[in-house]
Amino acid sequence: MAQNKRAFIFDMDGTIVDNMAFHSKSWMTFFKRRGKDIDAEEFFLRTAGRQGKEIMRAYLGDDLPDAENLELNLEKESVYRELYEPHRKTVAGFDDLIAQAKLRGVALAVATAAPNANIEFTLDGLDLRRHFDAVVGAADVARGKPNPDVFLLAAERCGAAPENCIVFEDAPLGVEAARRAGMRAVVLTTTLPAAAFAEFDNVIHIASDFSELTIDELFAA
């Protein structure tokens, strides 16, 4: 049963690390090799927060066999890691915010559509996993965002009720998933401008990075 504990739940790609341009570039490279020219902005709005297997079927067909889907995803993710590795770092202010949260007894979780290999690449590559009470990824839930599953499972593993959780996101599909989970959201404009989130009533703050945020202000919102 959920307790009155407060929790911060972070999307990973585009939120903890400013890497969505590299994800988009790797997808564009992957699909171009298969004769598909895709608009990067439209692709992001349509797919950010969805699992790789869902994206593959959206563009290559619903009848794509599971084994082939997995193989293609592994190929795409290897392109991404090769492109992004030299640039891997956290968004400004992130390390300070989570340090202050830990001191205040706020539980910390990651809730991402990324597969385990990319979670390891980011969290372990930056020595971040030790800070989190829960890490939930694509392997833990059947559906990607905007379904709320990944956020609800993260809250459950932290022992926090949805109304006591604040989600940090960079994508409209992620903010919608937080809304469906009954959670407030903070938007990081690492990928899209603030105007892209105007329709959401669960957004309590929009910031360019974490250095602008304080824990008291966030929970008071």
Side-chain angles (χ1 to χ4, degrees):
M1 183 175 179
Q3 304 169 356
N4 291 326
K5 184 183 293 185
R6 301 182 299 179
F8 285 164
I9 303 177
F10 297 88
D11 173 53
M12 188 177 75
D13 293 336
T15 304
I16 295 176
V17 289
D18 185 4
N19 63 343
M20 289 310 295
F22 295 93
H23 264 303
S24 294
K25 186 176 180 179
S26 63
W27 277 111
M28 299 305 102
T29 300
F30 172 84
F31 282 124
K32 190 169 185 177
R33 291 174 181 173
R34 284 157 180 77
K36 292 181 178 289
D37 288 318
I38 297 171
D39 179 76
E41 183 176 352
E42 182 274 336
F43 178 83
F44 176 81
L45 290 171
R46 180 181 177 186
T47 65
R50 294 192 182 278
Q51 297 179 4
K53 64 184 180 183
E54 296 172 319
I55 297 172
M56 285 295 179
R57 289 202 165 99
Y59 284 90
L60 299 181
D62 290 336
D63 58 348
L64 185 68
D66 289 345
E68 185 178 354
N69 195 336
L70 175 60
E71 184 177 343
L72 291 173
N73 266 284
L74 291 174
E75 178 184 335
K76 179 267 166 186
E77 295 304 343
S78 68
V79 174
Y80 157 71
R81 289 191 289 272
E82 181 180 347
L83 289 172
Y84 182 58
E85 186 169 15
H87 309 276
R88 184 172 47 183
K89 65 178 181 179
T90 55
V91 171
F94 174 77
D95 301 275
D96 288 339
L97 182 70
I98 63 170
Q100 289 301 312
K102 295 291 279 188
L103 289 174
R104 300 285 292 275
V106 178
L108 301 175
V110 172
T112 174
N116 285 337
N118 278 3
I119 294 172
E120 292 168 4
F121 173 75
T122 298
L123 297 188
D124 298 331
L126 293 170
D127 192 27
L128 294 175
R129 191 186 293 266
R130 59 193 172 89
H131 298 296
F132 292 100
D133 301 285
V135 176
V136 181
D140 299 296
V141 293
R143 306 180 300 173
K145 304 166 188 174
N147 297 293
D149 311 23
V150 69
F151 291 136
L152 291 171
L153 182 56
E156 179 184 334
R157 290 182 176 178
C158 286
E163 61 268 23
N164 292 331
C165 297
I166 294 177
V167 167
F168 296 82
E169 262 285 354
D170 72 309
L173 287 179
V175 176
E176 171 62 16
R179 187 192 68 79
R180 294 184 188 183
M183 299 176 184
R184 292 166 288 168
V186 173
V187 168
L188 274 291
T189 55
T190 54
T191 313
L192 292 174
F197 303 90
E199 66 184 85
F200 294 103
D201 59 6
N202 63 321
V203 173
I204 59 173
H205 198 85
I206 298 178
S208 60
D209 58 44
F210 294 98
S211 63
E212 304 175 29
L213 308 176
T214 67
I215 292 173
D216 288 337
E217 289 176 344
L218 290 176
F219 280 111

